[in-house]
Structure formats: structure tokens, C-alpha cells
Amino acid sequence: MPLTKENNISERRFFKMKKKITKAIILSLTLIMILSGCSSNNTATTKVNYDWAECIELGEYKELPYYTETFEVTDEEVDAEIETILLYATEMETVTEGIVEDGDTINIAFVGKVDGEEFEGGSSQSYDLTVGTTSMIDGFVEGLIGKNIGETVTLNLKFPDDYHSTELQGKDVVFDITINNKRISTTPELTDEFVKNYYEAENVEDFKQKIREDLLSSKENAVNSSIKSNLWDVIIKNTEIKSVPAEEEEAAKAQVEAIEEDYRATAESYGLEWADFLTTLMGTTEEGFQETMKEYEDNIVKSNIITKAIADKEGITLSDKDYKEKVKEILDANNLTEESFESYYNMSIYDYADENGWRDSILQDMILDKVLELGKEVSKDEYQKFISDTLYDGEEIHMHDDGTVHEASAHEEEATHDHDHEGEDVETEAGTEDEAETETDKEDSEG
């Protein structure tokens, strides 16, 4: 829309936002994918039609080092989490009375005229903006403060000399603006009644204790998952593939093909050509995408053979009963029931889990629990040195509080990049991301 400082921000932010949402759904509704890959074979994962010993030279998986981190949760962290929960519980109400105040989100209809004639993109029947946030030409938003909801306001303004549309630069413009409504948010108070209804806690103190326990568990699980991930990478690296069973190769190919089909369907839903989708959202090319998929396919094969090899050696099995219990745990962790999941996805949780290879993922996680059980506890520094020597050829690595590691050179480069941009003003193009997304929906405004 020409009234914003620059065009097309809505579309770019929309695609970025959709990508984040897609990742969030995948992460929240599957196991934490700490592993290199999983197959979509729906049969019992511990039963295979080949001798794994003829396929791989299994790397050492016993007595691998790990460390134990001690955490604490501060009152400030608990308060911040509670504030987030209350914000999520905020309810929005649309009202048609009152006045426009700074910070209000309002909906307007407007007509803009230059020399008595409407100009392209200068009118809308429904446009959302937030006073004090949405960026318009000078005087547009300010002229609405203090006005009544339902009132029509006439503003005599002027486009700036450097306005992006050269035809409108420096032009006098008259806007007739009707304030349709505004949205009022109501954030609940932290009371015993609120926590009983929304968190199944007895009272506020019980609620705070549950939050503290959840945060502590989250920190511990993050480190545990990172350790498992690193040790799995060590096992994979130290395992030699001698031959690839046809059934594992076929299963891996089927999964990779399904992934590509999903991506192509996503591209189509966005109205993008495949090549444009890869560059815009994936940051790669067709060649780069296929290389990544081939690497992923190889990892799936290797990972699944290793999974079944260790399961065989350690006598680990995943019965249907255990499998269903694990799936139930995933639902509970995401505050879902079988019914609510099926309502959202139009399929049962078990069909979804089978299609997405949860059996192998669950089995792999069971195996990594065994790897930790068979491991040896060392200091954090000793663990970090082992990971550096084994996975990074002795290069210095940086370990975060959650146990994830990165090469120190890459970390320093990122920190330098961030430092170089400290203090710079970032020019926004159309206010907040939420407003940018809203603008996308204004079919009668130029985007």
C-alpha cells in the first residue's frame, strides 16, 4: 500500500512467519529430533530381514563420556514465564465506542484524493493500524488520536518529497477517514481462580511451584538432549558401512521422496514456482536441495541400521503397548488428546505417527537412554574436549548452557557480526510483523 514507507514487507514477513510456524508445529508434535534420521517403516522396528553385522562395523557406544549439569530457576525466570502465560490468555474484544488513544489497534476505512481525484492504492474499506507503531505519512495516524470511534475525520496532509511513489512526491492530499472500531485486549490477573481453570493448580503458590519445576525440567532436558545428539553423532561417525540392505535403502528413499513432496506442496500453496520457493524460503538451489536430501537419505540408512544393531545387542524392544504409551506421553506434553489431535490433523495420532516414522525415533531415543546408562560421567571440560577431538578434529568449540556446541571460530564470527551492528537503527517498513501480515489481507489496497 503506498501509504507505508516501503512496499512488499507484508509478503516477505508472511513467508518468514509461515516458515517459523511450520517448524514450530513439527517440533512440538513430534519427538525432539535429536537423531540424524528415521524411517517411515510401520512394522516393528526391531525385526529386520538382514544381518546387521554384515552391513556395518558398529562403532563403540559403551563408556562414552557425558556430564551432569546442575541448574537453578530464579524467581525472575518464574515471573517471566507467568507473564508469558498471562499474555497468551489475553482476550481481544472489538468495540465501536470510545476514543482513539496512543497504542490502540483500530480499523479504519479511508479515501485519499490528490487534486480532487482518488489515486491508486489510496483507499481501503478495512485497514488495521496500531497508533504509535504503524508507519504512515506524517499526520495520518496522529490525526486520529482523540477522535471518536465511528467518527469520520478529514485530514489535509502532504506526501514527503522523498516518497517512494514519484507521482505523489510533495503532493497535497486529502484523506476522509472513518474509524470503524478498535480492539481492546484484556489480560487476566494472576488469581487462584485463573490457575485452577487454566493450569489445574490448587492456588497461585502451587502454580508458581509447577512453573519452577517445568522450567527446571526444561533446562535439564535441553542439556540431556544435546548430549544424546552429540553422542549419537559420535557413534555414527565411528561406524563403518559395509553394505546397505535393500529394505533400508528403499525406506530411506521413500521418506526423502515424501519430504520433497511436502515441500513441493507447500510451494504450490504459496503460489510459488519450485525454484523460487527454494531460493526464497529455503535459501538454496535445486542442486543444493538434492545434495542435502542425498546426505539426509544416507544418514537415515546409517542411523537406522545402527539403531537396530544396538537394539539387538542390548535386547531392547519396542512393543506396541510401549509405543502407544510413548505416543500418549507426546500428546500429554503438548496438552493434546487423541480427539483434539484428530480434529486438528484430520487423522489419528497413530496414523500420523506411523507415517512420520515415530516408531524408529522412539526406539532410537530408548537406545540413547541406554548409551547414557552405559556411559561414564566426566567433568564438563572433559566432555567438551572429547566432543572437540571426536567431532571437530580438535578444533576449539563453544558450549552453550543448553549443551549445544559450535566451532569457536563460527561463534566468534557471529558475535563479531552482532557487535558490528550494535547501535544501528533498523528501519521498519510497515510497523510490526502482525500489522504487516494484516496488510496482506487488504485486497483493495496496493501491496
Side-chain angles (χ1 to χ4, degrees):
M1 171 181 175
L3 298 178
T4 56
K5 290 184 178 178
E6 292 184 37
N7 292 328
N8 300 327
I9 183 65
S10 302
E11 185 177 32
R12 293 198 297 274
R13 282 180 173 165
F14 173 77
F15 285 130
K16 289 179 182 178
M17 195 180 306
K18 285 293 185 181
K19 187 177 181 182
K20 292 176 182 177
I21 291 172
T22 301
K23 288 181 178 178
I25 291 174
I26 291 172
L27 289 174
S28 67
L29 293 177
T30 63
L31 294 171
I32 299 174
M33 301 310 284
I34 62 172
L35 310 169
S36 300
C38 56
S39 80
S40 57
N41 188 352
N42 297 341
T43 60
T45 51
T46 51
K47 295 180 180 179
V48 294
N49 299 316
Y50 60 86
D51 182 0
W52 62 263
E54 296 180 357
C55 303
I56 61 171
E57 188 69 38
L58 182 61
E60 183 56 57
Y61 64 90
K62 298 180 180 180
E63 296 190 3
L64 295 180
Y66 70 92
Y67 72 98
T68 301
E69 187 75 82
T70 301
F71 291 103
E72 65 176 22
V73 176
T74 66
D75 291 341
E76 290 75 16
E77 288 175 313
V78 172
D79 291 341
E81 183 68 13
I82 290 174
E83 183 178 349
T84 299
I85 291 171
L86 292 175
L87 286 176
Y88 272 115
T90 296
E91 296 182 351
M92 300 295 295
E93 179 185 5
T94 300
V95 299
T96 55
E97 295 181 346
I99 63 173
V100 176
E101 299 177 285
D102 191 19
D104 282 347
T105 296
I106 61 176
N107 179 272
I108 62 174
F110 60 89
V111 176
K113 295 181 179 180
V114 172
D115 297 329
E117 298 291 334
E118 293 185 30
F119 58 93
E120 184 179 359
S123 303
S124 175
Q125 292 301 309
S126 179
Y127 182 79
D128 290 335
L129 63 84
T130 298
V131 180
T133 301
T134 303
S135 181
M136 313 289 274
I137 65 173
D138 290 343
F140 188 99
V141 178
E142 296 82 353
L144 303 177
I145 297 176
K147 299 300 188 292
N148 293 312
I149 307 299
E151 183 177 353
T152 297
V153 181
T154 298
L155 299 178
N156 293 285
L157 305 175
K158 185 175 183 177
F159 283 104
D161 293 335
D162 60 350
Y163 193 65
H164 58 75
S165 174
T166 56
E167 295 179 357
L168 297 174
Q169 289 178 354
K171 293 281 190 178
D172 292 324
V173 57
V174 178
F175 286 106
D176 291 319
I177 307 168
T178 299
I179 306 168
N180 295 325
N181 57 60
K182 76 173 180 178
R183 295 202 298 271
I184 298 177
S185 63
T186 303
T187 302
E189 296 181 3
L190 182 62
T191 63
D192 289 347
E193 182 179 3
F194 171 79
V195 299
K196 285 179 182 178
N197 292 334
Y198 289 88
Y199 213 81
E200 297 183 356
E202 294 297 323
N203 50 48
V204 171
E205 287 306 313
D206 181 39
F207 174 66
K208 289 184 177 180
Q209 182 59 31
K210 288 180 182 293
I211 294 298
R212 189 180 298 276
E213 291 171 358
D214 287 348
L215 290 174
L216 183 60
S217 177
S218 178
K219 289 183 177 183
E220 292 173 345
N221 287 338
V223 171
N224 192 49
S225 294
S226 295
I227 291 172
K228 284 183 177 181
S229 177
N230 289 329
L231 294 185
W232 188 251
D233 287 342
V234 169
I235 296 170
I236 287 178
K237 184 173 183 179
N238 291 335
T239 294
E240 179 186 351
I241 292 286
K242 295 187 289 186
S243 63
V244 177
E247 64 182 76
E248 295 291 1
E249 186 173 24
E250 291 172 5
K253 282 184 180 296
Q255 185 176 345
V256 168
E257 288 172 359
I259 291 172
E260 182 170 341
E261 287 177 7
D262 286 343
Y263 277 125
R264 287 185 180 275
T266 301
E268 185 176 349
S269 70
Y270 286 156
L272 288 174
E273 295 293 334
W274 177 237
D276 294 335
F277 172 82
L278 289 176
T279 56
T280 303
L281 281 131
M282 305 297 292
T284 187
T285 62
E286 172 69 23
E287 182 180 1
F289 179 81
Q290 293 303 332
E291 287 179 0
T292 300
M293 288 295 97
K294 183 63 173 70
E295 291 175 7
Y296 184 57
E297 181 181 321
D298 292 342
N299 272 342
I300 291 173
V301 170
K302 195 172 186 179
S303 181
N304 284 342
I305 300 175
I306 293 172
T307 296
K308 289 154 188 173
I310 298 178
D312 181 46
K313 291 192 69 173
E314 298 299 327
I316 299 173
T317 59
L318 178 62
S319 67
D320 285 341
K321 179 182 177 182
D322 292 338
Y323 173 61
K324 289 183 178 180
E325 288 178 356
K326 291 289 186 180
V327 171
K328 179 68 164 55
E329 289 176 11
I330 296 171
L331 284 174
D332 291 343
N334 289 279
N335 297 315
L336 291 169
T337 64
E338 290 185 29
E339 292 74 19
S340 62
F341 183 94
E342 187 165 355
S343 174
Y344 187 82
Y345 277 89
N346 295 318
M347 65 190 307
S348 77
I349 179 63
Y350 299 105
D351 288 341
Y352 181 93
D354 284 343
E355 285 187 10
N356 287 275
W358 283 20
R359 283 182 180 271
D360 285 303
S361 295
I362 291 171
L363 181 62
Q364 285 177 355
D365 202 45
M366 292 168 63
I367 286 169
L368 280 168
D369 285 336
K370 187 67 176 181
V371 168
L372 288 184
E373 181 186 324
L374 297 172
K376 59 180 180 180
E377 186 167 4
V378 298
S379 70
K380 187 174 182 177
D381 288 342
E382 289 176 305
Y383 168 82
Q384 182 169 330
K385 184 178 187 306
F386 172 77
I387 296 301
S388 170
D389 292 342
T390 308
L391 297 180
Y392 296 90
D393 298 324
E395 292 290 329
E396 183 181 355
I397 60 175
H398 175 81
M399 180 176 290
H400 298 287
D401 291 339
D402 64 358
T404 56
V405 296
H406 300 282
E407 291 179 84
S409 57
H411 175 75
E412 290 166 2
E413 180 180 341
E414 180 181 343
T416 303
H417 176 76
D418 291 341
H419 178 74
D420 289 342
H421 291 278
E422 284 183 4
E424 291 185 6
D425 291 329
V426 180
E427 182 179 356
T428 59
E429 295 166 282
T432 65
E433 288 193 6
D434 287 341
E435 288 157 3
E437 182 184 18
T438 300
E439 290 171 24
T440 308
D441 297 328
K442 311 308 178 195
E443 295 180 358
D444 49 0
S445 298
E446 179 179 304

